[in-house]
């Protein structure tokens, strides 16, 4: 069933694209059907999965190579699946009204559902390599979603940053996952997590493996110092921002850390990396959020901060922290997703997201105001919201550390969490008060010129109401919805007992203090913004990233000029002499010549002598002739000689291949040289001619040496026997063909790709001389229409 659900989501997007949903008034409701079906099925599995049942499914791909798509649905996968499908349902409805009659709606749906499929496959995958494939799918599709507005330069820049940062992290993570699979002896996640943690932690490769995996998780979840890509990605359409950057993509790194937590939580490196990076990200994101006036920018940095909270909690290996992570994931999705959607409706209705120009929206759009109140209070962590429960468990984590005698870690974490809680309150009140409840804006006030319809606001309100109801239904949900994923994070069964009121506990009193400090920061927000304005720009990270990219381009330009800036003969000479150098190194390093066992008594036959003489004669003509056609014919003669050698030595398949290649090469050379203007021949200086002769002789000796090595006995173990024994397993009869299309299939595909790219480049160069520049063509067309000659530019005007 899991595979069927993935297929359903994958096919929904392209199907909607073909149906052209921009022509339908309520296309969003149709689009929401498939994620709603997935959500309903997952809710139906809550009792089973909450009771400890793990649903497993395997889709065989290649039994011969042992390749299969393994899917597992345990408590953690079910929780993330509900977030992905549930929030996705609301986004699908919302997008239909957000884009209205925009022709790009079908394309957006196609990307949205492909992303939903990738994200769902990521959290359900039980194989490290399958997880990585889905991981990369989210990165690529998120790039397309962020750059949806091709005319917006900020969107293109934000998409590029997101792809480069997360892509670089993913490459490192791939290395870490491969090391993890090699250390554990399997790529199955469930099998790896069943092994004792000491299997990994005591391995000599554990440190590089963990660093690489953390690199991928930190870049994906926008942790310091990689956090800068997330605010830049806010240039995406609001439905994409709400889905990718509040509920799904940015939580992929959190999911990976939570999934691997049982195996790595006892490691000191794991603890300090997550505690420090998560704590810094939490405070930095919350502080930066107070500096901004754009609604989506504030929410973006708030997301960075709350992702830091989740990462910091995953540093600890006890029950309270595991439950706090689970509640934090769900609570964040149910208030941050609606707030992004609220920002999109405000932008849609007023034409701006600048809170300095917004006021009184609660009276103008009451339903939107209600949704904003519920979501903002939850983000601030005020009782009795879902966010309050998550914040209480965050504080309880550090009080439990203090009770266990871990004074330094507990006190530092508690102070950081309390300060972050105060900042949460401050920016939540700013988001609520300034656009919705103040009477007038300090700047040029923007008015509602396009009021949203009730169905437009309905998905937002549904998500916020869901988050508001959960705290009052804890008894029915705490076992099935929270205990199972917390147990998956901890690696052991967890008893969850939640309540809105536990009395006047230290955590509650600390929460009250944080709320009071947050209110003070809110009242003095202009002074706070003024104080934060001179903050160093490197904290953002975007400037450092841009400078690094510019430096990379500069290095690439320098290396290109240094290596490829010379003439073609010089470049070819460098390449060939490098090959000669490698051969000489191998000869002197391994004494290959002394190990050769050649039979010098064999005599050449008459036809071998004739063919060799013809090849030498043709090569001499190629060098000495001034005619292009003569050189091409002589080059073909060398190829024909090689073909005949294959024939005489009973290799007809190689002879046929060589002949076909020679014919194709001759035709291409004739066509290319026909297009190249003829140039007069100028004799080269004797110094350059002597240098070319010396290089040619050296390369000839290199070829002779390679022939000697090939003619002697094998110097190392041969793999010919393996090919011979396995040729039938590949369902082939010709061993050469089997090697090319089976054993070296990927290599052959790469060679074909190179040839196709080279052919396209050659075709473009051949057409370039026949194409007029755009400006000249426009002038010519203008002259044809008006009967006037285009004006000639003077030197000063040019």
């Amino acid at each position: 069933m899991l595979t069927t659900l993935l297929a359903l989501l994958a096919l929904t997007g392209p199907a909607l694209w073909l149906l052209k949903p921009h022509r339908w008034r309520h296309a969003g409701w149709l689009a929401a059907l498939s994620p709603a079906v997935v959500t309903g099925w997952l809710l139906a599995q809550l009792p089973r999965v909450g009771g400890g049942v793990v649903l497993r499914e395997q889709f065989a791909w290649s039994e011969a190579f042992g390749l299969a798509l393994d899917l597992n649905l345990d408590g953690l996968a079910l929780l993330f699946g509900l977030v992905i499908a549930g929030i996705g349902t609301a986004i699908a409805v919302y997008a239909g009204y957000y884009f209205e009659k925009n022709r790009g709606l079908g394309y957006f749906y196609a990307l949205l559902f492909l992303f939903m499929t990738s994200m769902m496959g990521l959290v359900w995958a039980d194989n490290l390599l399958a997880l990585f494939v889905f991981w990369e799918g989210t990165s690529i599709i998120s790039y397309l979603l962020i750059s949806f507005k091709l005319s917006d330069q900020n969107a293109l820049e934000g998409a590029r940053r997101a792809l480069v940062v997360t892509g670089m992290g993913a490459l490192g993570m791939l290395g870490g996952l491969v090391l993890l699979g090699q250390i554990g002896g399997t790529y199955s996640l469930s099998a790896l997590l069943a092994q004792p943690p000491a299997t990994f932690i005591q391995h000599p490769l554990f440190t590089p493996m963990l660093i690489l995996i953390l690199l991928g998780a930190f870049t994906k979840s926008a942790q310091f110092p990689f956090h800068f890509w997330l605010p830049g990605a806010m240039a995406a359409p609001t439905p994409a921002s709400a889905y990718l950057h509040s509920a799904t993509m940015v939580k992929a790194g959190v999911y990976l850390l939570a999934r691997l937590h049982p195996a790595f939580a006892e490691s000191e490196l794991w603890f300090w990396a997550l505690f420090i990076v998560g704590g810094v990200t939490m405070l930095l994101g919350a502080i930066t959020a107070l500096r901004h006036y754009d609604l989506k920018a504030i929410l973006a940095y708030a997301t960075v901060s709350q992702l830091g909270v989740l990462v910091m909690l995953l540093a600890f290996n006890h029950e309270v922290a595991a439950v706090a992570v689970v509640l934090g994931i769900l609570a964040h999705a149910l208030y941050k997703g609606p707030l992004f959607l609220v920002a999109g409706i405000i932008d849609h209705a007023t034409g701006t997201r600048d809170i300095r120009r917004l006021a009184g929206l609660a009276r103008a759009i009451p339903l939107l105001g209600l949704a904003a109140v519920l979501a903002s209070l939850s983000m601030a962590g005020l009782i009795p919201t879902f966010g309050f429960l998550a914040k209480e468990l965050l504080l309880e984590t550090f009080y439990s550390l203090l009770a266990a005698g871990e004074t330094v870690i507990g006190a530092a974490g508690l102070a950081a969490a309390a300060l972050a809680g105060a900042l949460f309150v401050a920016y939540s009140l700013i988001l609520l008060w300034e656009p919705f409840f103040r009477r007038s804006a300090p700047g040029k006030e923007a008015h509602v010129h396009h009021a949203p319809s009730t169905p437009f606001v309905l998905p937002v309100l549904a998500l916020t109401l869901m988050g508001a109801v959960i705290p009052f239904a804890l008894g029915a949900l705490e076992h099935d919805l929270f205990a199972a994923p917390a147990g998956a994070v901890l690696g052991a069964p967890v008893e969850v007992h939640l309540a809105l009121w536990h009395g006047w506990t230290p955590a509650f009193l600390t929460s009250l203090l944080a709320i009071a400090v947050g209110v003070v920061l809110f009242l003095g927000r202009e002074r706070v913004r003024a104080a934060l304005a001179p903050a160093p720009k490197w904290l953002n990270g975007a400037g450092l990233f841009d400078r690094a990219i510019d430096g990379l381009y500069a290095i690439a330009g320098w290396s290109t000029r240094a290596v490829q800036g010379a003439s073609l003969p010089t470049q070819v000479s460098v390449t060939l002499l490098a090959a000669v150098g490698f051969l000489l190194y191998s000869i002197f390093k391994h004494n290959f010549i002394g190990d050769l066992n050649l039979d010098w008594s064999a005599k050449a036959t008459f036809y071998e002598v004739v063919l060799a003489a013809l090849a030498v004669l043709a090569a001499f003509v190629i060098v000495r002739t001034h005619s292009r056609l003569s050189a091409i014919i002589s080059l073909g003669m060398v190829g024909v000689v090689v073909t005949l050698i294959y024939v005489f030595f009973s290799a007809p398949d190689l002879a046929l291949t060589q002949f076909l290649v020679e014919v194709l090469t001759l035709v291409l050379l004739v066509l290319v040289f026909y297009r190249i203007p003829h140039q007069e021949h100028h004799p080269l200086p004797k110094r350059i001619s002597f240098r070319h002769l010396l290089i040619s002789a050296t390369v000839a000796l290199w070829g002779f040496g390679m022939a000697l090595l090939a003619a002697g006995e094998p110097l190392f173990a041969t793999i010919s026997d393996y090919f011979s024994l396995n040729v039938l397993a590949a369902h082939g009869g010709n061993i050469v063909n089997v090697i090319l299309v089976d054993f070296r299939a990927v290599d052959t595909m790469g060679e074909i790709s190179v040839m196709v790219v080279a052919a396209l480049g050659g075709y473009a160069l051949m057409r370039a001389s026949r194409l007029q520049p755009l400006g000249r063509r426009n002038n010519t067309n203008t002259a044809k229409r008006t009967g006037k000659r285009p004006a000639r530019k003077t030197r000063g005007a040019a």
Side-chain angles (χ1 to χ4, degrees):
M1 188 62 182
L2 298 175
T3 309
T4 303
L5 294 176
L6 286 180
L8 174 64
L9 293 175
L11 295 175
T12 299
L16 287 171
W17 193 2
L18 293 176
L19 292 176
K20 299 181 179 180
H22 64 277
R23 297 179 179 179
W24 305 356
R25 185 176 180 184
H26 302 293
W29 296 97
L30 176 64
L33 288 179
S34 60
V37 168
V38 177
T39 305
W41 186 84
L42 291 174
L43 288 173
Q45 307 308 310
L46 266 180
R48 294 181 62 195
V49 176
V53 177
V54 178
L55 305 180
R56 304 182 187 278
E57 190 171 315
Q58 185 180 77
F59 179 75
W61 178 18
S62 174
E63 295 181 0
F65 290 96
L67 297 177
L69 176 60
D70 296 321
L71 303 176
N72 272 12
L73 187 69
D74 62 352
L76 187 62
L78 178 60
L79 173 71
F80 273 90
L82 284 172
V83 170
I84 296 165
I87 303 293
T89 303
I91 296 295
V93 177
Y94 178 92
Y97 296 100
Y98 181 86
F99 288 102
E100 289 185 315
K101 297 181 180 180
N102 191 325
R103 291 180 176 270
L105 178 58
Y107 174 63
F108 178 83
Y109 275 140
L111 294 179
L112 177 68
F113 282 96
L114 287 176
F115 179 87
M116 199 180 301
T117 305
S118 297
M119 192 67 201
M120 199 73 80
L122 190 157
V123 299
W124 288 353
D126 188 47
N127 182 281
L128 293 177
L129 299 181
L131 183 148
F132 176 78
V133 171
F134 286 119
W135 182 287
E136 284 296 87
T138 62
S139 297
I140 295 171
I141 301 171
S142 67
Y143 170 80
L144 298 175
L145 283 168
I146 296 169
S147 60
F148 182 80
K149 303 175 184 177
L150 295 177
S151 59
D152 187 349
Q153 187 61 35
N154 291 331
L156 298 179
E157 184 66 23
R160 181 177 69 90
R161 287 178 182 169
L163 183 63
V164 171
V165 173
T166 59
M168 290 174 60
L171 288 177
M173 188 188 75
L174 176 60
L177 294 179
V178 171
L179 288 177
L180 175 59
Q182 294 298 312
I183 293 172
T186 177
Y187 287 96
S188 170
L189 266 171
S190 56
L192 289 169
L193 296 177
Q195 301 182 29
T199 304
F200 310 103
I201 297 175
Q202 296 177 4
H203 197 279
L205 293 176
F206 173 75
T207 298
M209 178 265 290
L210 182 58
I211 291 175
L212 291 173
I213 291 177
L214 292 181
L215 179 64
F218 288 166
T219 52
K220 196 76 161 183
S221 288
Q223 298 298 291
F224 178 83
F226 310 107
H227 63 288
F228 59 87
W229 71 262
L230 179 57
M234 290 301 111
T238 296
S241 300
Y243 193 55
L244 274 64
H245 307 130
S246 67
T248 54
M249 177 179 168
V250 292
K251 286 196 175 73
V254 174
Y255 167 79
L256 181 63
L257 296 176
R259 180 59 76 190
L260 297 177
H261 185 272
F264 301 154
E266 297 179 7
S267 164
E268 290 289 324
L269 177 60
W270 171 276
F271 171 78
W272 287 111
L274 268 62
F275 181 71
I276 294 174
V277 172
V280 171
T281 305
M282 174 183 68
L283 294 176
L284 180 62
I287 293 171
T288 309
L290 294 177
R291 299 176 56 192
H292 290 272
Y293 295 95
D294 185 279
L295 284 171
K296 288 179 72 171
I298 297 172
L299 292 172
Y301 281 105
T303 299
V304 169
S305 177
Q306 282 135 5
L307 290 171
V309 171
L310 298 175
V311 170
M312 183 176 65
L313 284 170
L314 286 168
F316 302 101
N317 190 25
H318 53 78
E319 290 189 6
V320 180
V323 178
V325 169
V326 171
L327 263 69
I329 290 170
L330 187 56
H332 178 255
L334 290 177
Y335 65 69
K336 187 58 64 62
L339 285 173
F340 271 110
L341 299 181
V342 166
I345 292 178
I346 292 175
D347 189 15
H348 197 268
T350 64
T352 183
R353 299 193 305 262
D354 191 338
I355 58 177
R356 292 170 294 189
R357 298 184 55 199
L358 298 172
L361 293 180
R363 296 188 301 275
I365 316 174
L367 280 179
L368 190 66
L370 175 61
V373 168
L374 294 174
S376 297
L377 294 182
S378 184
M379 184 166 65
L382 302 183
I383 195 170
T385 63
F386 199 7
F388 168 78
L389 278 173
K391 186 176 68 172
E392 288 289 289
L393 285 174
L394 169 65
L395 297 173
E396 284 288 352
T397 300
F398 297 109
Y399 275 111
S400 64
L401 291 174
L402 292 173
E406 299 183 27
T407 309
V408 176
I409 298 297
L414 182 61
L419 176 57
L423 295 170
F424 293 172
V425 173
Y427 61 64
S428 298
L429 293 177
I430 290 173
L431 282 173
L432 191 58
W433 171 259
E434 296 195 356
F436 287 96
F437 290 102
R438 64 178 174 184
R439 294 185 178 277
S440 61
K444 183 180 179 182
E445 186 171 339
H447 299 283
V448 176
H449 57 79
H450 186 66
S453 62
T454 300
F456 194 5
V457 184
L458 193 59
V460 188
L461 193 58
L463 292 177
T464 53
L465 289 175
M466 194 181 305
V469 168
I470 287 178
F472 299 99
L474 294 175
L477 297 174
E478 61 184 7
H479 179 266
D480 294 340
L481 187 59
F482 301 133
V489 173
L490 196 62
V494 174
E495 290 292 333
V496 178
H497 301 287
L498 300 173
L500 277 173
W501 176 252
H502 287 285
W504 297 90
T505 62
F508 180 71
L509 294 176
T510 305
S511 181
L512 291 179
L513 177 61
I515 292 171
V517 175
V519 171
V520 172
L521 291 174
F522 164 71
L523 295 175
R525 55 191 179 278
E526 293 303 331
R527 293 183 180 179
V528 173
R529 285 166 174 161
L532 295 176
K537 293 183 179 180
W538 61 265
L539 286 176
N540 182 9
L544 293 177
F545 172 80
D546 291 337
R547 285 197 290 273
I549 294 297
D550 292 340
L552 187 63
Y553 279 123
I555 293 173
W558 172 82
S559 62
T560 302
R561 290 190 298 272
V563 176
Q564 301 180 6
S567 62
L568 180 60
T570 301
Q571 295 181 45
V572 174
S573 300
V574 170
T575 303
L576 294 175
L577 289 177
V580 173
F582 282 118
L583 177 63
L584 292 176
Y585 171 79
S586 300
I587 289 174
F588 289 109
K589 178 72 175 179
H590 301 286
N591 192 26
F592 284 157
I593 300 299
D595 295 335
L596 288 177
N597 186 12
L598 299 174
D599 183 11
W600 298 99
S601 62
K603 296 182 179 179
T605 61
F606 173 74
Y607 63 80
E608 290 176 349
V609 174
V610 172
L611 290 178
L614 286 176
V616 172
L617 179 62
F620 182 79
V621 172
I622 294 173
V623 175
R624 299 300 300 172
T625 185
H626 297 167
S627 169
R628 291 175 177 176
L629 185 59
S630 299
I632 294 173
I633 295 174
S634 301
L635 184 63
M637 179 61 68
V638 175
V640 171
V641 168
V642 175
T643 302
L644 292 174
I645 291 174
Y646 287 144
V647 172
F648 289 136
F649 282 91
S650 302
D653 52 347
L654 294 179
L656 180 60
T657 303
Q658 177 71 25
F659 181 74
L660 292 176
V661 170
E662 286 299 324
V663 172
L664 180 62
T665 303
L666 288 177
V667 171
L668 290 176
L669 286 176
V670 170
L671 290 176
V672 170
F673 280 106
Y674 176 75
R675 295 288 181 179
I676 297 177
H678 181 74
Q679 297 179 352
E680 294 184 6
H681 176 72
H682 298 285
L684 293 174
K686 292 184 178 181
R687 176 178 57 84
I688 297 179
S689 298
F690 178 76
R691 185 186 68 182
H692 289 176
L693 179 62
L694 183 62
I695 294 174
S696 301
T698 304
V699 174
L701 290 175
W702 168 77
F704 179 68
M706 294 295 292
L708 283 180
L709 292 175
E713 293 184 357
L715 300 173
F716 301 101
T718 179
I719 61 172
S720 301
D721 294 336
Y722 173 81
F723 290 141
S724 300
L725 294 174
N726 290 276
V727 64
L728 295 179
H731 305 285
N734 186 306
I735 192 170
V736 176
N737 294 341
V738 169
I739 291 174
L740 291 176
V741 301
D742 285 284
F743 297 112
R744 294 181 55 202
V746 177
D747 183 44
T748 303
M749 184 179 68
E751 293 172 351
I752 294 173
S753 302
V754 170
M755 292 297 295
V756 170
V757 172
L760 291 175
Y763 177 72
L765 290 174
M766 292 172 65
R767 282 181 55 87
S769 61
R770 292 183 289 170
L771 296 178
Q772 293 180 345
L774 182 61
R776 186 183 302 174
R777 189 186 307 157
N778 290 341
N779 289 341
T780 304
N781 293 338
T782 302
K784 290 180 179 179
R785 289 194 305 269
T786 60
K788 299 179 180 179
R789 297 182 61 184
R792 178 178 298 176
K793 291 184 178 179
T794 63
R795 186 177 299 274

